Amino acid sequence: MTPMVKAEGVHKSFGAVQVLKGIDLEVAPREVFCLIGPSGSGKSTFLRCINHLEKINSGRLSVDGELVGYRQKGDKLYELRDREVAEKRRDIGMVFQRFNLFPHMTALENVIEAPVQVKKETKAVARERALKLLDRVGLADKAGNYPSQLSGGQQQRVAIARALAMEPKLMLFDEPTSALDPELVGDVLDVMRGLAEDGMTMIVVTHEMGFAREVGDSVVFMDDGVVVESGNPRDVLTNPQHERTKSFLSKVL
């Protein structure tokens, strides 16, 4: 089976600062893959490399068997044009810490924008799917509301619906609940739990250890740009083998 995501020796630096120091991992189709670790460990940077929002410095990164951001000719890699990168990025949904909704558009308009502008769908087709997605995330009654009229949790659920509107094969979540008040976290995690049950391949950068334990198929603990420990969430979270993992978990569990 072709991995949905495969990273081989991925390195990424910002100037003299090495953020990723040789990441090797695989994510299977339909897998919920959770990345945990302290701030600054490289988790979010790695996530952004998967859809080429950040360019890797060395190594190989592929999604569904195709290189991310590059084309191979012989034994050389050639960077794709921006237009080609954008076309491949359509298949990868991403939900950020901040919701990044268009403030001048209603929830419904936010969800239909990309399918109409990028995929050239008719507004009628995009609207029908958008209404179903807003219902799926529990916001059917908020379709006409603007972001300023929604809570943070509601805005994040609209952001998830917006990402799903492009019918992606892979969803990336970059700490989707970290900007939310505690009482709003549950609704967003419930939506993500539903996606997992439907078989969506997901990579989730999270500090929600309960979610990682209950919903994750695999968990990776990253620190200082490397994978320190990985495995079944229950094993890693309840019986970590590495001292650095034990120290981290003792502070967050």
Side-chain angles (χ1 to χ4, degrees):
M1 184 185 294
T2 302
M4 182 59 74
V5 176
K6 185 173 184 178
E8 303 169 89
V10 170
H11 286 76
K12 172 64 182 177
S13 297
F14 294 102
V17 179
Q18 238 190 326
V19 180
L20 301 177
K21 304 174 181 177
I23 301 295
D24 294 289
L25 56 80
E26 289 188 9
V27 180
R30 303 176 67 87
E31 184 173 7
V32 179
F33 192 93
C34 295
L35 287 171
I36 65 172
S39 297
S41 59
K43 308 181 303 296
S44 294
T45 297
F46 177 68
L47 210 65
R48 292 172 65 85
C49 289
I50 292 173
N51 62 3
H52 210 58
L53 288 174
E54 298 289 354
K55 301 175 184 178
I56 65 175
N57 298 116
S58 62
R60 296 167 66 91
L61 191 52
S62 58
V63 171
D64 202 16
E66 294 189 13
L67 286 171
V68 172
Y70 297 90
R71 178 188 295 111
Q72 184 162 354
K73 206 169 184 179
D75 33 347
K76 286 191 173 182
L77 295 181
Y78 297 89
E79 190 168 2
L80 298 177
R81 299 185 187 92
D82 289 345
R83 180 176 54 80
E84 294 173 296
V85 171
E87 285 177 5
K88 291 185 179 293
R89 200 178 278 145
R90 294 179 188 181
D91 294 330
I92 305 173
M94 188 158 185
V95 178
F96 300 88
Q97 295 179 37
R98 296 291 172 178
F99 328 119
N100 297 331
L101 299 177
F102 297 115
H104 62 289
M105 293 183 179
T106 64
L108 180 65
E109 289 167 342
N110 265 281
V111 177
I112 70 172
E113 179 71 4
V116 170
Q117 297 299 327
V118 179
K119 294 176 76 174
K120 306 304 179 187
E121 289 185 356
T122 65
K123 281 197 172 182
V125 169
R127 186 177 188 277
E128 183 179 356
R129 185 189 305 116
L131 288 171
K132 288 178 181 176
L133 287 169
L134 287 172
D135 183 50
R136 179 177 185 174
V137 300
L139 294 173
D141 60 332
K142 303 293 184 183
N145 288 45
Y146 289 90
S148 61
Q149 299 169 314
L150 302 173
S151 71
Q154 290 169 335
Q155 289 184 62
Q156 191 63 294
R157 284 185 278 155
V158 173
I160 294 173
R162 180 178 61 180
L164 292 172
M166 291 294 284
E167 301 181 300
K169 63 175 76 169
L170 169 67
M171 284 285 286
L172 308 176
F173 292 88
D174 187 8
E175 298 188 27
T177 60
S178 65
L180 303 180
D181 292 333
E183 66 268 24
L184 303 177
V185 168
D187 291 337
V188 173
L189 293 181
D190 284 344
V191 171
M192 295 169 64
R193 193 174 282 110
L195 290 178
E197 290 169 356
D198 289 346
M200 174 63 75
T201 310
M202 299 161 58
I203 303 180
V204 185
V205 173
T206 185
H207 292 295
E208 299 291 339
M209 299 302 153
F211 177 86
R213 184 188 295 110
E214 295 162 25
V215 183
D217 297 302
S218 302
V219 68
V220 161
F221 172 66
M222 284 180 63
D223 187 34
D224 197 27
V226 299
V227 172
V228 176
E229 191 165 345
S230 62
N232 179 284
R234 293 182 185 275
D235 294 337
V236 173
L237 296 176
T238 59
N239 188 29
Q241 301 301 301
H242 198 283
E243 287 303 321
R244 182 65 189 93
T245 317
K246 292 177 184 177
S247 172
F248 173 77
L249 291 174
S250 72
K251 296 179 175 68
V252 298
L253 288 178

